[in-house]
Amino acid sequence: MKNSALAVAAVFSGILALSPASAATVSDLVTFSATNFQTINVPAPVDPVTGSFSITFDPTLVYTDSTTGISLNSLNIALGSALSFTFNPTTDFLQVGGLASGAGAIQYSPSTNDFYLQIFGLGGEVPGVSLAFNQLGYTQTSVSTDNYFYTLNQTGTVSATPITAAVPEPSTWAMMILGFVGVGFMAYRRKSKPALMAA
């Protein structure tokens, strides 16, 4: 009995050592609105620009034009590519946008269906940096072949609502299953020991 308990303890210790540490990921539904656009050639066709996206990322890591972990929910301007994001944990600076020129930039001559959004504080890793809208810029092919519309002086808003994960991580499932196996094994050993002694 003592040996079987030690064996189960050794298995659990091995699993704990092998299972990776759970990363402190951030999962948010982000909504934004930008207004008072400045222009280069023609008036802004859409003002305000509004939208929302869902994002899951590790705020301790650097991301560059990543399409993994981000999905567009709504946007009231045309977007001609996948949504991507770039994140710097040192400044807690997030840039979201299309992939045509990267998440933090757009090509406006010739124009493309693209935008960029700049946010501070979503990762929550930098002390004193709270969630804040910085800038949004966009360009649209339906307006002209050369256009660029952008905000100045943080004329926009951004909000984030945490997304709760309902499904446990694989390492949690593995620990639960091993726990049940260990309890079952110990119960089996208890039952079989008296039978051996009687024989």
Side-chain angles (χ1 to χ4, degrees):
M1 181 70 174
K2 195 174 188 181
N3 288 341
S4 63
L6 288 173
V8 171
V11 169
F12 281 129
S13 299
I15 295 291
L16 285 172
L18 291 174
S19 63
S22 175
T25 59
V26 171
S27 293
D28 287 311
L29 170 63
V30 179
T31 58
F32 60 90
S33 177
T35 189
N36 297 332
F37 285 93
Q38 309 298 308
T39 66
I40 289 183
N41 293 330
V42 294
V46 179
D47 189 351
V49 170
T50 60
S52 73
F53 59 91
S54 301
I55 186 168
T56 300
F57 68 104
D58 183 340
T60 63
L61 301 179
V62 173
Y63 294 84
T64 304
D65 298 334
S66 177
T67 56
T68 304
I70 189 165
S71 61
L72 185 64
N73 300 322
S74 66
L75 183 64
N76 67 341
I77 56 174
L79 179 60
S81 68
L83 189 66
S84 65
F85 73 97
T86 294
F87 180 74
N88 183 344
T90 305
T91 55
D92 210 346
F93 186 52
L94 175 71
Q95 298 179 91
V96 175
L99 273 177
S101 297
I106 54 175
Q107 175 184 305
Y108 60 87
S109 184
S111 60
T112 56
N113 288 329
D114 203 0
F115 85 107
Y116 65 84
L117 168 67
Q118 298 173 347
I119 301 171
F120 282 104
L122 187 64
E125 290 297 301
V126 179
V129 177
S130 57
L131 183 64
F133 174 93
N134 186 56
Q135 187 179 36
L136 189 146
Y138 75 98
T139 179
Q140 298 284 275
T141 58
S142 62
V143 176
S144 70
T145 57
D146 183 5
N147 62 79
Y148 174 40
F149 316 102
Y150 57 95
T151 61
L152 287 179
N153 303 320
Q154 294 80 43
T155 54
T157 59
V158 62
S159 64
T161 305
I163 301 170
T164 55
V167 179
E169 292 185 11
S171 60
T172 304
W173 279 113
M175 290 303 296
M176 286 172 48
I177 290 168
L178 277 173
F180 288 129
V181 168
V183 169
F185 179 74
M186 290 179 70
Y188 169 77
R189 294 287 292 166
R190 273 199 192 143
K191 278 186 180 179
S192 62
K193 194 167 185 179
L196 290 173
M197 290 176 79

Short mmCIF file of all heavy atoms in Angstrom, two decimals, residues 72-133:
data_model
loop_
_atom_site.label_atom_id
_atom_site.label_comp_id
_atom_site.label_asym_id
_atom_site.label_seq_id
_atom_site.Cartn_x
_atom_site.Cartn_y
_atom_site.Cartn_z
N LEU A 72 -11.97 39.94 -36.15
CA LEU A 72 -12.77 41.15 -36.34
C LEU A 72 -14.24 40.81 -36.16
O LEU A 72 -14.75 39.87 -36.77
CB LEU A 72 -12.53 41.72 -37.74
CG LEU A 72 -13.21 43.04 -38.07
CD1 LEU A 72 -12.67 44.16 -37.18
CD2 LEU A 72 -12.98 43.39 -39.54
N ASN A 73 -14.92 41.56 -35.31
CA ASN A 73 -16.35 41.38 -35.10
C ASN A 73 -17.17 42.35 -35.93
O ASN A 73 -18.19 41.97 -36.50
CB ASN A 73 -16.70 41.53 -33.61
CG ASN A 73 -15.98 40.53 -32.75
OD1 ASN A 73 -15.81 39.38 -33.13
ND2 ASN A 73 -15.54 40.94 -31.58
N SER A 74 -16.75 43.61 -36.00
CA SER A 74 -17.46 44.61 -36.80
C SER A 74 -16.51 45.74 -37.14
O SER A 74 -15.56 46.03 -36.41
CB SER A 74 -18.67 45.15 -36.02
OG SER A 74 -18.24 45.87 -34.87
N LEU A 75 -16.78 46.39 -38.28
CA LEU A 75 -16.01 47.55 -38.73
C LEU A 75 -16.83 48.26 -39.80
O LEU A 75 -17.29 47.60 -40.74
CB LEU A 75 -14.65 47.11 -39.29
CG LEU A 75 -13.70 48.21 -39.75
CD1 LEU A 75 -13.27 49.09 -38.56
CD2 LEU A 75 -12.48 47.60 -40.43
N ASN A 76 -17.05 49.56 -39.67
CA ASN A 76 -17.92 50.26 -40.61
C ASN A 76 -17.19 50.88 -41.80
O ASN A 76 -17.71 51.75 -42.48
CB ASN A 76 -18.79 51.30 -39.90
CG ASN A 76 -17.99 52.46 -39.34
OD1 ASN A 76 -16.78 52.37 -39.17
ND2 ASN A 76 -18.68 53.56 -39.05
N ILE A 77 -15.96 50.43 -42.06
CA ILE A 77 -15.24 50.77 -43.28
C ILE A 77 -14.75 49.47 -43.91
O ILE A 77 -14.71 48.43 -43.24
CB ILE A 77 -14.04 51.72 -43.02
CG1 ILE A 77 -13.08 51.12 -42.00
CG2 ILE A 77 -14.52 53.10 -42.59
CD1 ILE A 77 -11.80 51.91 -41.80
N ALA A 78 -14.38 49.53 -45.18
CA ALA A 78 -13.92 48.32 -45.88
C ALA A 78 -12.50 47.96 -45.43
O ALA A 78 -11.66 48.83 -45.21
CB ALA A 78 -13.95 48.53 -47.38
N LEU A 79 -12.27 46.66 -45.28
CA LEU A 79 -10.94 46.14 -44.95
C LEU A 79 -10.59 45.08 -45.98
O LEU A 79 -11.31 44.09 -46.12
CB LEU A 79 -10.92 45.56 -43.53
CG LEU A 79 -9.60 44.97 -43.05
CD1 LEU A 79 -8.49 46.03 -43.05
CD2 LEU A 79 -9.74 44.36 -41.66
N GLY A 80 -9.48 45.29 -46.68
CA GLY A 80 -9.14 44.41 -47.79
C GLY A 80 -8.19 43.28 -47.46
O GLY A 80 -7.65 42.65 -48.38
N SER A 81 -7.95 43.02 -46.18
CA SER A 81 -7.04 41.94 -45.80
C SER A 81 -7.44 41.41 -44.43
O SER A 81 -8.38 41.90 -43.82
CB SER A 81 -5.59 42.45 -45.76
OG SER A 81 -5.43 43.37 -44.69
N ALA A 82 -6.70 40.41 -43.97
CA ALA A 82 -6.94 39.86 -42.63
C ALA A 82 -6.58 40.90 -41.57
O ALA A 82 -5.77 41.79 -41.81
CB ALA A 82 -6.11 38.60 -42.42
N LEU A 83 -7.20 40.78 -40.40
CA LEU A 83 -6.88 41.65 -39.28
C LEU A 83 -5.65 41.11 -38.57
O LEU A 83 -5.49 39.90 -38.41
CB LEU A 83 -8.07 41.70 -38.31
CG LEU A 83 -7.98 42.74 -37.19
CD1 LEU A 83 -8.03 44.16 -37.77
CD2 LEU A 83 -9.11 42.55 -36.20
N SER A 84 -4.76 42.01 -38.14
CA SER A 84 -3.53 41.60 -37.46
C SER A 84 -3.24 42.56 -36.32
O SER A 84 -3.88 43.61 -36.19
CB SER A 84 -2.36 41.58 -38.45
OG SER A 84 -2.09 42.90 -38.92
N PHE A 85 -2.26 42.20 -35.48
CA PHE A 85 -1.87 43.11 -34.40
C PHE A 85 -0.39 43.04 -34.13
O PHE A 85 0.28 42.03 -34.37
CB PHE A 85 -2.67 42.84 -33.12
CG PHE A 85 -2.30 41.59 -32.38
CD1 PHE A 85 -1.43 41.63 -31.29
CD2 PHE A 85 -2.82 40.35 -32.74
CE1 PHE A 85 -1.10 40.48 -30.59
CE2 PHE A 85 -2.50 39.20 -32.05
CZ PHE A 85 -1.62 39.26 -30.96
N THR A 86 0.14 44.15 -33.63
CA THR A 86 1.52 44.28 -33.20
C THR A 86 1.48 44.79 -31.77
O THR A 86 0.73 45.71 -31.46
CB THR A 86 2.29 45.27 -34.11
OG1 THR A 86 2.38 44.71 -35.42
CG2 THR A 86 3.67 45.56 -33.58
N PHE A 87 2.28 44.18 -30.88
CA PHE A 87 2.24 44.56 -29.47
C PHE A 87 3.64 44.66 -28.91
O PHE A 87 4.48 43.80 -29.16
CB PHE A 87 1.44 43.54 -28.65
CG PHE A 87 1.36 43.87 -27.19
CD1 PHE A 87 0.55 44.90 -26.73
CD2 PHE A 87 2.12 43.16 -26.26
CE1 PHE A 87 0.49 45.21 -25.38
CE2 PHE A 87 2.06 43.47 -24.91
CZ PHE A 87 1.24 44.50 -24.47
N ASN A 88 3.88 45.71 -28.12
CA ASN A 88 5.15 45.91 -27.43
C ASN A 88 4.90 45.92 -25.93
O ASN A 88 4.26 46.85 -25.41
CB ASN A 88 5.77 47.25 -27.87
CG ASN A 88 7.13 47.49 -27.25
OD1 ASN A 88 7.51 46.84 -26.27
ND2 ASN A 88 7.87 48.42 -27.81
N PRO A 89 5.38 44.91 -25.20
CA PRO A 89 5.12 44.85 -23.75
C PRO A 89 5.85 45.93 -22.96
O PRO A 89 5.44 46.28 -21.85
CB PRO A 89 5.60 43.46 -23.36
CG PRO A 89 6.58 43.08 -24.40
CD PRO A 89 6.15 43.75 -25.66
N THR A 90 6.95 46.48 -23.49
CA THR A 90 7.70 47.50 -22.77
C THR A 90 6.88 48.77 -22.58
O THR A 90 6.93 49.41 -21.53
CB THR A 90 9.00 47.84 -23.53
OG1 THR A 90 9.73 46.64 -23.75
CG2 THR A 90 9.86 48.82 -22.75
N THR A 91 6.09 49.13 -23.59
CA THR A 91 5.27 50.35 -23.53
C THR A 91 3.78 50.05 -23.40
O THR A 91 2.99 50.98 -23.28
CB THR A 91 5.49 51.19 -24.79
OG1 THR A 91 5.22 50.38 -25.94
CG2 THR A 91 6.92 51.71 -24.86
N ASP A 92 3.41 48.75 -23.46
CA ASP A 92 2.00 48.35 -23.43
C ASP A 92 1.24 49.01 -24.59
O ASP A 92 0.14 49.53 -24.42
CB ASP A 92 1.34 48.69 -22.09
CG ASP A 92 0.22 47.71 -21.74
OD1 ASP A 92 -0.22 46.96 -22.63
OD2 ASP A 92 -0.22 47.70 -20.58
N PHE A 93 1.86 49.00 -25.77
CA PHE A 93 1.34 49.66 -26.96
C PHE A 93 0.85 48.62 -27.95
O PHE A 93 1.62 47.77 -28.41
CB PHE A 93 2.44 50.52 -27.58
CG PHE A 93 1.99 51.38 -28.73
CD1 PHE A 93 0.90 52.21 -28.63
CD2 PHE A 93 2.70 51.37 -29.93
CE1 PHE A 93 0.50 53.02 -29.69
CE2 PHE A 93 2.32 52.17 -30.99
CZ PHE A 93 1.22 53.00 -30.87
N LEU A 94 -0.44 48.66 -28.29
CA LEU A 94 -1.06 47.71 -29.21
C LEU A 94 -1.47 48.44 -30.48
O LEU A 94 -2.11 49.50 -30.42
CB LEU A 94 -2.29 47.08 -28.57
CG LEU A 94 -3.13 46.14 -29.45
CD1 LEU A 94 -2.38 44.83 -29.71
CD2 LEU A 94 -4.48 45.86 -28.81
N GLN A 95 -1.11 47.87 -31.63
CA GLN A 95 -1.55 48.39 -32.92
C GLN A 95 -2.34 47.29 -33.62
O GLN A 95 -1.87 46.16 -33.72
CB GLN A 95 -0.35 48.81 -33.77
CG GLN A 95 0.45 49.94 -33.14
CD GLN A 95 1.64 50.32 -33.99
OE1 GLN A 95 1.55 51.18 -34.83
NE2 GLN A 95 2.75 49.65 -33.76
N VAL A 96 -3.51 47.63 -34.10
CA VAL A 96 -4.38 46.69 -34.78
C VAL A 96 -4.70 47.24 -36.16
O VAL A 96 -4.97 48.44 -36.30
CB VAL A 96 -5.70 46.47 -33.98
CG1 VAL A 96 -6.67 45.59 -34.74
CG2 VAL A 96 -5.40 45.88 -32.61
N GLY A 97 -4.68 46.39 -37.17
CA GLY A 97 -5.00 46.85 -38.52
C GLY A 97 -4.90 45.74 -39.53
O GLY A 97 -4.65 44.58 -39.18
N GLY A 98 -5.08 46.10 -40.78
CA GLY A 98 -4.97 45.13 -41.86
C GLY A 98 -3.52 44.76 -42.14
O GLY A 98 -2.59 45.41 -41.65
N LEU A 99 -3.34 43.73 -42.95
CA LEU A 99 -2.00 43.24 -43.25
C LEU A 99 -1.37 43.88 -44.48
O LEU A 99 -0.22 43.60 -44.78
CB LEU A 99 -2.05 41.72 -43.47
CG LEU A 99 -1.93 40.85 -42.23
CD1 LEU A 99 -2.07 39.39 -42.61
CD2 LEU A 99 -0.62 41.07 -41.51
N ALA A 100 -2.11 44.72 -45.21
CA ALA A 100 -1.59 45.28 -46.47
C ALA A 100 -0.23 45.94 -46.27
O ALA A 100 0.69 45.74 -47.07
CB ALA A 100 -2.59 46.27 -47.05
N SER A 101 -0.08 46.72 -45.20
CA SER A 101 1.21 47.37 -44.90
C SER A 101 1.66 47.06 -43.49
O SER A 101 2.52 47.75 -42.95
CB SER A 101 1.08 48.88 -45.09
OG SER A 101 0.79 49.19 -46.43
N GLY A 102 1.06 46.08 -42.86
CA GLY A 102 1.35 45.76 -41.47
C GLY A 102 0.32 46.39 -40.56
O GLY A 102 -0.38 47.33 -40.94
N ALA A 103 0.22 45.87 -39.34
CA ALA A 103 -0.83 46.30 -38.41
C ALA A 103 -0.74 47.78 -38.06
O ALA A 103 -1.76 48.41 -37.79
CB ALA A 103 -0.78 45.46 -37.14
N GLY A 104 0.45 48.35 -38.07
CA GLY A 104 0.60 49.73 -37.62
C GLY A 104 0.76 50.76 -38.71
O GLY A 104 1.08 51.91 -38.43
N ALA A 105 0.53 50.38 -39.97
CA ALA A 105 0.73 51.33 -41.07
C ALA A 105 -0.29 51.07 -42.18
O ALA A 105 -0.91 50.01 -42.24
CB ALA A 105 2.15 51.19 -41.63
N ILE A 106 -0.45 52.07 -43.04
CA ILE A 106 -1.32 51.90 -44.22
C ILE A 106 -0.64 52.51 -45.44
O ILE A 106 0.17 53.42 -45.32
CB ILE A 106 -2.71 52.56 -44.03
CG1 ILE A 106 -2.59 54.03 -43.64
CG2 ILE A 106 -3.54 51.80 -43.02
CD1 ILE A 106 -3.93 54.75 -43.56
N GLN A 107 -1.00 51.99 -46.60
CA GLN A 107 -0.54 52.56 -47.86
C GLN A 107 -1.66 53.43 -48.41
O GLN A 107 -2.78 52.95 -48.57
CB GLN A 107 -0.20 51.45 -48.86
CG GLN A 107 0.17 51.96 -50.23
CD GLN A 107 0.40 50.84 -51.21
OE1 GLN A 107 1.22 49.96 -50.94
NE2 GLN A 107 -0.31 50.86 -52.32
N TYR A 108 -1.39 54.69 -48.66
CA TYR A 108 -2.46 55.57 -49.13
C TYR A 108 -2.24 56.13 -50.53
O TYR A 108 -3.10 56.82 -51.06
CB TYR A 108 -2.68 56.73 -48.13
CG TYR A 108 -1.48 57.61 -47.89
CD1 TYR A 108 -1.21 58.70 -48.72
CD2 TYR A 108 -0.63 57.37 -46.84
CE1 TYR A 108 -0.12 59.51 -48.50
CE2 TYR A 108 0.46 58.17 -46.59
CZ TYR A 108 0.72 59.26 -47.43
OH TYR A 108 1.79 60.06 -47.21
N SER A 109 -1.10 55.85 -51.15
CA SER A 109 -0.88 56.32 -52.52
C SER A 109 -0.14 55.24 -53.30
O SER A 109 1.08 55.11 -53.18
CB SER A 109 -0.06 57.61 -52.51
OG SER A 109 0.08 58.10 -53.83
N PRO A 110 -0.83 54.38 -54.05
CA PRO A 110 -2.29 54.38 -54.24
C PRO A 110 -3.01 53.87 -52.99
O PRO A 110 -2.45 53.11 -52.20
CB PRO A 110 -2.49 53.43 -55.41
CG PRO A 110 -1.32 52.50 -55.36
CD PRO A 110 -0.18 53.32 -54.83
N SER A 111 -4.25 54.29 -52.84
CA SER A 111 -5.02 53.95 -51.65
C SER A 111 -5.36 52.47 -51.61
O SER A 111 -5.41 51.79 -52.63
CB SER A 111 -6.30 54.78 -51.61
OG SER A 111 -7.09 54.54 -52.74
N THR A 112 -5.59 51.98 -50.38
CA THR A 112 -5.98 50.59 -50.15
C THR A 112 -7.17 50.60 -49.20
O THR A 112 -7.48 51.63 -48.60
CB THR A 112 -4.82 49.80 -49.51
OG1 THR A 112 -4.43 50.48 -48.30
CG2 THR A 112 -3.63 49.69 -50.44
N ASN A 113 -7.84 49.48 -49.03
CA ASN A 113 -8.88 49.34 -48.01
C ASN A 113 -8.20 48.85 -46.75
O ASN A 113 -8.04 47.65 -46.54
CB ASN A 113 -9.97 48.37 -48.46
CG ASN A 113 -10.84 48.96 -49.56
OD1 ASN A 113 -11.05 50.16 -49.61
ND2 ASN A 113 -11.35 48.11 -50.43
N ASP A 114 -7.78 49.80 -45.91
CA ASP A 114 -6.97 49.44 -44.76
C ASP A 114 -7.17 50.47 -43.64
O ASP A 114 -7.69 51.57 -43.88
CB ASP A 114 -5.50 49.39 -45.16
CG ASP A 114 -4.64 48.54 -44.24
OD1 ASP A 114 -5.19 47.98 -43.26
OD2 ASP A 114 -3.43 48.43 -44.49
N PHE A 115 -6.77 50.10 -42.44
CA PHE A 115 -6.80 51.02 -41.30
C PHE A 115 -5.77 50.58 -40.27
O PHE A 115 -5.25 49.47 -40.32
CB PHE A 115 -8.20 51.08 -40.68
CG PHE A 115 -8.48 49.99 -39.66
CD1 PHE A 115 -8.54 50.30 -38.30
CD2 PHE A 115 -8.69 48.67 -40.04
CE1 PHE A 115 -8.80 49.30 -37.36
CE2 PHE A 115 -8.95 47.69 -39.11
CZ PHE A 115 -9.00 48.00 -37.76
N TYR A 116 -5.47 51.49 -39.34
CA TYR A 116 -4.68 51.13 -38.17
C TYR A 116 -5.32 51.79 -36.96
O TYR A 116 -5.90 52.87 -37.03
CB TYR A 116 -3.21 51.56 -38.31
CG TYR A 116 -2.99 53.05 -38.38
CD1 TYR A 116 -2.90 53.82 -37.22
CD2 TYR A 116 -2.88 53.69 -39.62
CE1 TYR A 116 -2.71 55.18 -37.28
CE2 TYR A 116 -2.70 55.05 -39.69
CZ TYR A 116 -2.62 55.81 -38.52
OH TYR A 116 -2.44 57.16 -38.58
N LEU A 117 -5.25 51.11 -35.83
CA LEU A 117 -5.76 51.59 -34.56
C LEU A 117 -4.64 51.44 -33.53
O LEU A 117 -4.02 50.38 -33.45
CB LEU A 117 -6.98 50.78 -34.13
CG LEU A 117 -7.49 50.96 -32.69
CD1 LEU A 117 -8.04 52.37 -32.49
CD2 LEU A 117 -8.54 49.92 -32.37
N GLN A 118 -4.39 52.49 -32.76
CA GLN A 118 -3.34 52.46 -31.75
C GLN A 118 -3.97 52.61 -30.36
O GLN A 118 -4.75 53.55 -30.13
CB GLN A 118 -2.33 53.58 -31.99
CG GLN A 118 -1.62 53.46 -33.32
CD GLN A 118 -0.75 54.66 -33.62
OE1 GLN A 118 -0.84 55.69 -32.97
NE2 GLN A 118 0.11 54.52 -34.62
N ILE A 119 -3.61 51.69 -29.45
CA ILE A 119 -4.17 51.66 -28.10
C ILE A 119 -3.03 51.48 -27.09
O ILE A 119 -2.10 50.70 -27.33
CB ILE A 119 -5.16 50.47 -27.93
CG1 ILE A 119 -6.30 50.56 -28.92
CG2 ILE A 119 -5.70 50.41 -26.51
CD1 ILE A 119 -7.16 49.31 -28.95
N PHE A 120 -3.13 52.16 -25.97
CA PHE A 120 -2.22 51.94 -24.86
C PHE A 120 -2.96 51.24 -23.72
O PHE A 120 -4.14 51.49 -23.49
CB PHE A 120 -1.67 53.28 -24.31
CG PHE A 120 -0.58 53.87 -25.13
CD1 PHE A 120 -0.84 54.95 -25.96
CD2 PHE A 120 0.70 53.36 -25.09
CE1 PHE A 120 0.16 55.51 -26.72
CE2 PHE A 120 1.72 53.92 -25.85
CZ PHE A 120 1.46 55.01 -26.67
N GLY A 121 -2.26 50.35 -23.01
CA GLY A 121 -2.75 49.83 -21.75
C GLY A 121 -3.58 48.57 -21.78
O GLY A 121 -4.03 48.13 -20.73
N LEU A 122 -3.79 47.95 -22.93
CA LEU A 122 -4.63 46.74 -22.97
C LEU A 122 -3.97 45.57 -22.24
O LEU A 122 -4.64 44.77 -21.60
CB LEU A 122 -4.98 46.35 -24.40
CG LEU A 122 -5.99 45.21 -24.55
CD1 LEU A 122 -7.35 45.62 -23.98
CD2 LEU A 122 -6.15 44.80 -25.99
N GLY A 123 -2.65 45.46 -22.33
CA GLY A 123 -1.95 44.36 -21.67
C GLY A 123 -1.92 44.49 -20.16
O GLY A 123 -1.82 43.51 -19.45
N GLY A 124 -1.99 45.72 -19.66
CA GLY A 124 -1.97 45.94 -18.22
C GLY A 124 -0.65 45.62 -17.56
O GLY A 124 -0.58 45.45 -16.35
N GLU A 125 0.43 45.52 -18.33
CA GLU A 125 1.72 45.11 -17.79
C GLU A 125 2.57 46.29 -17.29
O GLU A 125 3.47 46.11 -16.50
CB GLU A 125 2.53 44.34 -18.85
CG GLU A 125 1.98 42.98 -19.16
CD GLU A 125 2.01 42.05 -17.97
OE1 GLU A 125 3.10 41.81 -17.45
OE2 GLU A 125 0.95 41.59 -17.55
N VAL A 126 2.30 47.50 -17.80
CA VAL A 126 3.12 48.64 -17.44
C VAL A 126 2.42 49.45 -16.37
O VAL A 126 1.31 49.95 -16.60
CB VAL A 126 3.43 49.52 -18.68
CG1 VAL A 126 4.27 50.71 -18.29
CG2 VAL A 126 4.13 48.69 -19.76
N PRO A 127 3.02 49.59 -15.18
CA PRO A 127 2.37 50.35 -14.11
C PRO A 127 2.08 51.79 -14.54
O PRO A 127 2.92 52.44 -15.16
CB PRO A 127 3.41 50.32 -12.98
CG PRO A 127 4.27 49.14 -13.27
CD PRO A 127 4.30 49.01 -14.77
N GLY A 128 0.90 52.26 -14.23
CA GLY A 128 0.53 53.63 -14.55
C GLY A 128 -0.02 53.84 -15.94
O GLY A 128 -0.46 54.93 -16.29
N VAL A 129 0.04 52.82 -16.79
CA VAL A 129 -0.49 52.95 -18.16
C VAL A 129 -1.88 52.33 -18.19
O VAL A 129 -2.03 51.12 -18.06
CB VAL A 129 0.43 52.26 -19.20
CG1 VAL A 129 -0.17 52.34 -20.59
CG2 VAL A 129 1.81 52.89 -19.18
N SER A 130 -2.89 53.17 -18.34
CA SER A 130 -4.27 52.67 -18.38
C SER A 130 -4.76 52.61 -19.82
O SER A 130 -4.16 53.20 -20.72
CB SER A 130 -5.18 53.56 -17.54
OG SER A 130 -5.12 54.89 -17.99
N LEU A 131 -5.86 51.91 -20.02
CA LEU A 131 -6.42 51.74 -21.36
C LEU A 131 -6.76 53.10 -21.97
O LEU A 131 -7.48 53.89 -21.35
CB LEU A 131 -7.67 50.86 -21.29
CG LEU A 131 -8.34 50.53 -22.62
CD1 LEU A 131 -7.42 49.69 -23.49
CD2 LEU A 131 -9.64 49.78 -22.39
N ALA A 132 -6.22 53.38 -23.15
CA ALA A 132 -6.43 54.68 -23.77
C ALA A 132 -6.36 54.57 -25.28
O ALA A 132 -5.50 53.88 -25.83
CB ALA A 132 -5.42 55.69 -23.26
N PHE A 133 -7.25 55.27 -25.95
CA PHE A 133 -7.23 55.42 -27.41
C PHE A 133 -6.12 56.40 -27.77
O PHE A 133 -5.99 57.46 -27.14
CB PHE A 133 -8.59 55.96 -27.88
CG PHE A 133 -8.64 56.30 -29.34
CD1 PHE A 133 -9.10 55.36 -30.26
CD2 PHE A 133 -8.27 57.55 -29.80
CE1 PHE A 133 -9.16 55.68 -31.61
CE2 PHE A 133 -8.33 57.87 -31.15
CZ PHE A 133 -8.78 56.93 -32.05
#
